[in-house]
Amino acid sequence: AEWLEDHGEESCAGKDWALVCVTSEFDFYFVNLRAESSQFGATRHIVNNCYEEELFTEPPFERFVDIVEAYAKTNAAKVQMDDEDEEDIEYDDFRSFNPLYKES
């Protein structure tokens, strides 16, 4: 209730939103599931240790799926079958695949 009060009625803390993805212990992504909503399929990103929330993708949900697919393809290509430890691989940041966050 506090998060919703502090972040407004568009917040993913509302009843129309569901957790869809976690990319770190602090980064959580929510999707709007109410079909009647103008935000149906939109995703929002929260950073829980900074108390931040922002739009991640506009509807439709396929925009989020496209980002997940690009992230998975790029980072999967970095995994090698030789002796390199997976812990040593530097994966690209999930947000960097979203055109809203690309630097121009």
Side-chain angles (χ1 to χ4, degrees):
E2 182 180 330
W3 188 282
L4 184 58
E5 288 174 15
D6 291 348
H7 291 88
E9 64 183 58
E10 292 293 319
S11 173
C12 61
K15 64 182 179 177
D16 298 337
W17 297 84
L19 180 65
V20 69
C21 177
V22 178
T23 58
S24 78
E25 64 184 300
F26 306 114
D27 295 282
F28 296 80
Y29 296 82
F30 292 81
V31 62
N32 185 297
L33 297 177
R34 193 177 67 143
E36 303 80 30
S37 171
S38 64
Q39 292 299 304
F40 178 64
T43 59
R44 295 190 68 80
H45 170 235
I46 71 163
V47 182
N48 67 357
N49 65 329
C50 295
Y51 209 63
E52 296 173 355
E53 177 179 334
E54 63 189 349
L55 176 70
F56 189 69
T57 58
E58 296 279 355
F61 186 65
E62 287 80 19
R63 291 179 178 173
F64 181 79
V65 173
D66 290 345
I67 292 168
V68 171
E69 181 180 22
Y71 170 82
K73 284 181 179 178
T74 299
N75 287 309
K78 295 180 178 189
V79 177
Q80 299 178 6
M81 298 308 229
D82 59 14
D83 293 333
E84 184 176 358
D85 264 344
E86 188 172 345
E87 294 174 1
D88 295 335
I89 299 171
E90 285 193 34
Y91 295 104
D92 291 359
D93 180 60
F94 183 70
R95 287 181 48 173
S96 71
F97 292 88
N98 187 336
L100 294 176
Y101 297 100
K102 291 201 183 245
E103 294 183 32
S104 41

